[in-house]
Amino acid sequence: MAFNDLREFINKLEQEGELCRIQEEVDWNLEIGGIIRRVYDLGAPAPLFENIKDYTGFRIFGAPAGFSSIPKRKFARLALSYGLTPNADAEEIIENYLAKKKNPIKPVMVKGGHCKENVLLGDDIDLFKFPVPFIHEGDGGRYIGTWHTVATKDPDSDWVNWGMYRLMVHDKNSMGGVLVPHQNIGMMYYGKYEPGNMTMPFAAALGTEPITPLMGCSFIPVGVSEADIIGGLRGEPLELVKCETNDLYVPASTEIVIEGEVRPFERRDEGPFGEYVGYRAGMKSPKPVYRVKAITFRNNAILPVSNMGVPVDDGAAAMHLTVSGDILEQLRSVNFPVRMVYCPPHAVTHMAVVSTKVPYPNFAKKVAHAVWGNRPGEFMYYVIVVEDDVDVTNFDEVLHSLTTRCHPQRGIYSVPNAPAYPVLLPFLDPDDRARGKGAYVLFDCTFPTDWPKEAIPVKASFDVLWPEDIQDKILKKWTKYGFKDI
């Protein structure tokens, strides 16, 4: 099922017990942020705040992709976003993502949409009209963009990038954010617009159907349209409408659209912010300024809010599956005999676990370098390679493999002076942070191929040490023994 807008998705979450409507008055100043953080900690339903202090006619939707505590439905919100059943597991979501991504569907352009129900131009523009939350204590300001999509166009081609880049409100008509040079928006701004002394038009879509923000924080290759991929994942085209003040297009059903431009060489202090790494990061410093030229929004608009921090928040939940899929796709494209790739959510996209057959010596190193050599794995500082009998989505099995198959000396392979994400990485010292210098490490949890067969330990598990007929008998008679069905 493809959702036409955020409201349809919210209604579906309510039907599935994954939504909590909060009618008690809540304060945009820290209280909403604290509630959303507690929701992540408990796996509670996504909160829809309907009574916000100082504001009427607006709502906030929190934790849109957070994990669920309902048994066997951990990924319910992500699964429903992709049109799957709420009990879909990680492997099913990853394989669905890879299969549908191969069949992109171009968007269709429409002349109007719900996002045009209200239009603010000129002196009417006021970002504080919306219940922008002050999320974490110590933040540099109120952040309006935490679960959204920012559209920018490459000045040398027709390619439009949709990405998720944080947006802090400076005043009624300007915002600030981090434009990292290696990200698509940074490559456009620092590599083309600013050197050419050109302003960069932007459009921020806040509150779209659920797949759009998921793709905004994924690793779609340079030159590929996220809108096309979103259509493929939806199974039908996304409807787009032209902005009021520039030539960019946004989903027609968007709750709030902010349009404007980023001027060359203009800077203003932004940050810090509680970031995806689980720490306050990206300290206050001069950063590019988003100047707002228009705001359009729906009646009774809904502002989506993600509270980045100690995992698992929405970004970690969403990215750990798409990045897993992107790396798996890369490894399969070079015919590596991999079973699955999983980037555990608590590792905040800094670790990839790969299960594979081992066709020849040192194959784990080849896998690790293949991960590090492609954009989705560029910042996977930790790679664990395990045999294909290990379920990489089950960290009990991964930890057991790490501590029994990885030799404490020979099995650990370190690569110094690797590229790092200097702004946000807590483990870098000040000098490394200034130089953007980090490291990679491989934990090889595979048995050497030159060991004789009798030297390889036999796994003492239910599926290995019992004949298949005994396994089948036990499973079929499980409830007859007096146990509950599982």
Side-chain angles (χ1 to χ4, degrees), residues 462 466-483:
F462 178 76
W466 281 262
E468 286 190 16
D469 60 328
I470 299 297
Q471 293 181 43
D472 291 342
K473 178 180 179 181
I474 292 172
L475 294 175
K476 288 177 181 176
K477 296 181 67 176
W478 192 251
T479 55
K480 290 185 177 181
Y481 298 141
F483 297 109

Side-chain angles (χ1 to χ4, degrees), residues 45 47-48 55 64 75 89 133-134 143 148 180 222 242 248 268 271 310 317 343 425 480:
L48 180 65
Y55 291 91
F75 306 108
D89 62 17
F134 195 96
Y143 278 81
H148 61 297
V180 179
V222 171
K242 186 178 177 297
L248 294 168
R268 188 169 174 182
V310 174
C343 302
L425 285 180
K480 290 185 177 181

Side-chain angles (χ1 to χ4, degrees), residues 101-273:
K101 194 173 73 162
K102 293 177 182 176
N103 299 293
I105 299 175
K106 290 192 172 298
V108 295
M109 311 305 170
V110 297
K111 289 188 175 181
H114 290 299
C115 68
K116 303 289 189 180
E117 289 172 351
N118 302 275
V119 179
L120 302 180
L121 299 167
D123 292 339
D124 292 331
I125 293 170
D126 186 359
L127 292 166
F128 292 111
K129 179 180 180 67
F130 304 94
V132 182
F134 195 96
I135 298 175
H136 320 90
E137 185 177 22
D139 281 352
R142 297 167 68 176
Y143 278 81
I144 192 169
T146 57
W147 193 251
H148 61 297
T149 302
V150 177
T152 53
K153 183 180 181 299
D154 175 34
D156 297 330
S157 70
D158 293 332
W159 173 48
V160 176
N161 172 66
W162 287 8
M164 189 180 292
Y165 314 104
R166 74 191 199 196
L167 298 172
M168 186 189 87
V169 176
H170 285 312
D171 49 44
K172 63 180 292 187
N173 59 4
S174 69
M175 306 177 294
V178 179
L179 274 64
V180 179
H182 75 267
Q183 292 180 323
N184 290 338
I185 193 171
M187 289 189 288
M188 288 181 181
Y189 180 72
Y190 295 117
K192 296 185 177 184
Y193 281 99
E194 200 164 65
N197 201 31
M198 300 181 291
T199 60
M200 181 175 70
F202 78 88
L206 295 77
T208 63
E209 54 75 44
I211 294 180
T212 293
L214 297 180
M215 292 304 99
C217 57
S218 66
F219 285 89
I220 304 301
V222 171
V224 176
S225 166
E226 282 83 5
D228 296 356
I229 301 298
I230 292 164
L233 293 170
R234 285 165 46 84
E236 60 184 57
L238 193 62
E239 291 189 346
L240 302 184
V241 64
K242 186 178 177 297
C243 288
E244 296 290 311
T245 61
N246 58 44
D247 292 331
L248 294 168
Y249 284 76
V250 293
S253 63
T254 304
E255 295 288 330
I256 303 167
V257 179
I258 304 172
E259 309 173 17
E261 63 185 20
V262 183
R263 297 175 181 175
F265 307 106
E266 183 177 19
R267 303 289 189 267
R268 188 169 174 182
D269 280 351
E270 183 269 353
F273 184 60

Side-chain angles (χ1 to χ4, degrees), residues 97 217-219 318-328 341 343 349 376-377 380:
Y97 166 69
C217 57
S218 66
F219 285 89
M319 288 188 69
H320 92 283
L321 294 179
T322 57
V323 175
S324 298
D326 292 336
I327 294 174
L328 178 60
V341 174
C343 302
T349 68
M380 292 290 161

Side-chain angles (χ1 to χ4, degrees), residues 37 40-41 275-278 308-313 316-317 345-348:
R37 172 48 49 185
Y40 297 137
D41 293 344
E275 265 290 353
Y276 82 98
V277 289
M308 308 298 281
V310 174
V312 177
D313 55 49
H346 290 86
V348 293

